[in-house]
Amino acid sequence: MKTTTVLEGAAVDALIALLPAAVELESTLWPVAEGEMELAGMTTLAVDYLGAISAELSIALPSTTADAIREAGGSSAVFVGDVLRPALEAAAQTLGSGVMGEVVDTNTLTIFTDAGAAVYRISEPGSNTPFAWFAVQVKDSAQPSSRAMSDVSARKLGRIHDVEMALSVVIGRTRMTVANLLALEPGDVVDLDRSAGAAADILLNGRLIAHGEVVVVDQEYAVRVTKILDAAEAVG
């Protein structure tokens, strides 16, 4: 049986506080070895968190829970991951400073049976039907030494030179309810959490690596890099 830690317990507490439920939810550490979880047919979401303490988080939702979330959003086309992202962010942030990646819909359930993960059954008080299952697996946060890094040869790095990565630029963020999101119409103005002229964030695969300013080159938008962040700044 996996022994829960303070970090994992804080993560699930933060998660259930923001889950869209009609009543207050409770969590129970689930001894995977003592009972099977009925995960077939569930909507399973996963997200990676990179920081001083990195982790993988996953939540599995029964069809009734997923449908209720979509219904509350006013459309069957609502992506459940968008609705649950604030709750997953709150869970991840209990691990310390870091950057959370994209919430993805996945059929991978291996984390729920991994001995290294803490798995929780989330339900309404007194109910035998789970509202959701939540798993968090803290990864090895040890950083390689400078000497170890210097041992990586250019030949080995050359193996990944052709690997494509997603570079994105963020000029600001905001939060709104699903109802407000669905009510948006052409011409509406959405206020962002950043003032005009402030530096934009440059993210590589969801991780903050630099700051820059948006410019126009040949009638197309571009970004001029103004600062490259070191590892401590990137996760701070």
Side-chain angles (χ1 to χ4, degrees), residues 113-188:
T113 56
D114 194 310
V119 178
Y120 295 88
R121 181 182 184 273
I122 299 172
S123 61
E124 298 179 0
S127 174
N128 292 323
T129 303
F131 178 90
W133 296 95
F134 176 65
V136 54
Q137 184 172 31
V138 175
K139 300 178 181 179
D140 184 6
S141 59
Q143 298 295 322
S145 66
S146 298
R147 181 174 180 178
M149 291 294 289
S150 65
D151 289 340
V152 179
S153 67
R155 179 180 60 83
K156 291 181 179 179
L157 289 175
R159 297 174 184 174
I160 62 172
H161 281 176
D162 295 331
V163 175
E164 294 186 0
M165 305 184 77
L167 186 71
S168 55
V169 179
V170 178
I171 62 172
R173 294 183 173 86
T174 190
R175 286 188 175 182
M176 60 176 62
T177 63
V178 174
N180 289 340
L181 177 64
L182 296 176
L184 288 177
E185 296 180 354
D188 289 346

Side-chain angles (χ1 to χ4, degrees), residues 4-197:
T4 186
T5 69
V6 174
L7 284 177
E8 294 157 342
V12 71
D13 288 345
L15 176 91
I16 63 177
L18 293 182
L19 287 178
V23 299
E24 185 175 351
L25 299 171
E26 61 184 15
S27 64
T28 304
L29 182 66
W30 192 255
V32 177
E34 297 179 15
E36 295 296 328
M37 297 170 289
E38 297 181 1
L39 297 174
M42 289 197 178
T43 297
T44 309
L45 306 171
V47 65
D48 286 325
Y49 188 71
L50 181 63
I53 298 178
S54 298
E56 179 184 356
L57 297 86
S58 184
I59 185 168
L61 307 167
S63 57
T64 52
T65 302
D67 290 344
I69 291 174
R70 296 188 185 98
E71 183 179 351
S75 171
S76 60
V78 170
F79 177 44
V80 177
D82 291 337
V83 181
L84 298 186
R85 184 175 179 89
L88 291 167
E89 284 181 338
Q93 288 169 1
T94 63
L95 303 176
S97 299
V99 177
M100 194 173 88
E102 181 182 0
V103 180
V104 296
D105 192 344
T106 175
N107 293 322
T108 302
L109 299 171
T110 53
I111 186 175
F112 290 94
T113 56
D114 194 310
V119 178
Y120 295 88
R121 181 182 184 273
I122 299 172
S123 61
E124 298 179 0
S127 174
N128 292 323
T129 303
F131 178 90
W133 296 95
F134 176 65
V136 54
Q137 184 172 31
V138 175
K139 300 178 181 179
D140 184 6
S141 59
Q143 298 295 322
S145 66
S146 298
R147 181 174 180 178
M149 291 294 289
S150 65
D151 289 340
V152 179
S153 67
R155 179 180 60 83
K156 291 181 179 179
L157 289 175
R159 297 174 184 174
I160 62 172
H161 281 176
D162 295 331
V163 175
E164 294 186 0
M165 305 184 77
L167 186 71
S168 55
V169 179
V170 178
I171 62 172
R173 294 183 173 86
T174 190
R175 286 188 175 182
M176 60 176 62
T177 63
V178 174
N180 289 340
L181 177 64
L182 296 176
L184 288 177
E185 296 180 354
D188 289 346
V189 176
V190 177
D191 293 330
L192 302 179
D193 61 353
R194 197 163 303 187
S195 60

